[in-house]
Amino acid sequence: LFRSRNKPAMCAANVVDYEALLGLLYEGALEPQPFASALPALRETIDAQVVSLVLRPPSKDDRGLILNSVRPDPQQADPGTANDWRLTAYREEFFALDPFVNLPPDQVVTLEELVPDEALMASDYYLHYLEPVQLFRILGVDTQDPGGMLARLRFSRRREEPQFSPADRELLTRLTPHLNRAIRIYARLGRTSSERDLYAGAVEQLAVASIVLDEQARLLSANAPAKSLLEQGDRK
């Protein structure tokens, strides 16, 4: 079940505070490692083996940005090694074979809706990637920032585990508008940071003193010419 303070309980894999889950989604846009708190909470709520968020798909010249949260295995001494292999293999070999991409925007879809189980099990993608990592069922949604960033959220289960339920789909459908807004915040912050860095570099080359203050007139940053002037003032 997941519960909202003003809404009746609804069926899902685990009990979760719906407002808390939304808070983690929005906070994820601000975390040093994006969505580091939200992904484990989402994985536990929908009871998946793996949840992945692709913020930048890999390509020939770009490793991309793929964030994973994997269900802990108490029998595995070093789960990080296996997780690293899965991520590296997907980036370097199997992303191009993935049939579960370019979904209709903001529409929750399961892999079996696109590829029947028999066809999936005969595919190179299953035989060489999904089967070795023991994954089979996939639930996902794609959402896009107006500036062009496409985010792909995927939940994966093992073959012996049940299909994703209508309640799982309903929960992800409810979360999708909030995921979209969180991705927009993340993308906007990234663009703002890039523009600030570009501006700072241009000002640095012009040897113009530049100081950035916060709302309380406290120093946030200063380039080299500004630091030199500040140091001269301190000496006087």
Side-chain angles (χ1 to χ4, degrees), residues 2 4 11 14-15 17 98 104 114 131 137 157 172 175 187:
F2 67 89
S4 170
C11 292
N14 291 313
V15 176
D17 186 324
D98 191 347
L114 301 182
E131 188 176 34
R137 304 290 177 194
R157 286 179 178 167
L172 186 53
L175 289 172

Side-chain angles (χ1 to χ4, degrees), residues 149-168:
M149 174 178 284
L150 176 63
R152 298 168 175 167
L153 183 63
R154 301 289 185 267
F155 298 85
S156 302
R157 286 179 178 167
R158 294 181 172 179
R159 186 175 178 183
E160 64 270 19
E161 294 178 315
Q163 294 182 342
F164 291 97
S165 68
D168 296 325

Side-chain angles (χ1 to χ4, degrees), residues 33-186:
Q33 180 179 345
F35 303 98
S37 301
L39 291 183
L42 288 168
R43 174 181 52 76
E44 292 174 7
T45 301
I46 293 186
D47 194 21
Q49 175 67 20
V50 184
V51 59
S52 300
L53 179 61
V54 180
L55 293 177
R56 194 174 70 251
S59 63
K60 181 179 178 181
D61 301 315
D62 184 359
R63 287 173 52 82
L65 179 57
I66 305 176
L67 309 171
N68 277 347
S69 174
V70 181
R71 180 188 292 148
D73 184 351
Q75 297 181 346
Q76 192 168 3
D78 184 11
T81 302
N83 297 343
D84 289 345
W85 177 85
R86 292 169 182 166
L87 191 54
T88 300
Y90 183 76
R91 281 172 169 158
E92 296 181 355
E93 301 178 51
F94 299 110
F95 181 80
L97 300 175
D98 191 347
F100 203 49
V101 295
N102 301 321
L103 304 181
D106 301 324
Q107 182 175 326
V108 176
V109 181
T110 60
L111 179 57
E112 58 261 30
E113 292 177 70
L114 301 182
V115 184
D117 289 354
E118 296 78 7
L120 175 65
M121 293 168 60
S123 68
D124 287 341
Y125 182 68
Y126 175 75
L127 294 173
H128 299 295
Y129 180 71
L130 289 182
E131 188 176 34
V133 297
Q134 301 178 6
L135 298 179
F136 191 76
R137 304 290 177 194
I138 304 179
L139 175 74
V141 65
D142 288 359
T143 190
Q144 188 163 8
D145 163 65
M149 174 178 284
L150 176 63
R152 298 168 175 167
L153 183 63
R154 301 289 185 267
F155 298 85
S156 302
R157 286 179 178 167
R158 294 181 172 179
R159 186 175 178 183
E160 64 270 19
E161 294 178 315
Q163 294 182 342
F164 291 97
S165 68
D168 296 325
R169 297 182 61 135
E170 182 179 356
L171 174 58
L172 186 53
T173 298
R174 287 188 64 192
L175 289 172
T176 295
H178 301 282
L179 173 66
N180 180 281
R181 292 172 193 149
I183 294 300
R184 288 169 61 186
I185 294 170
Y186 173 79

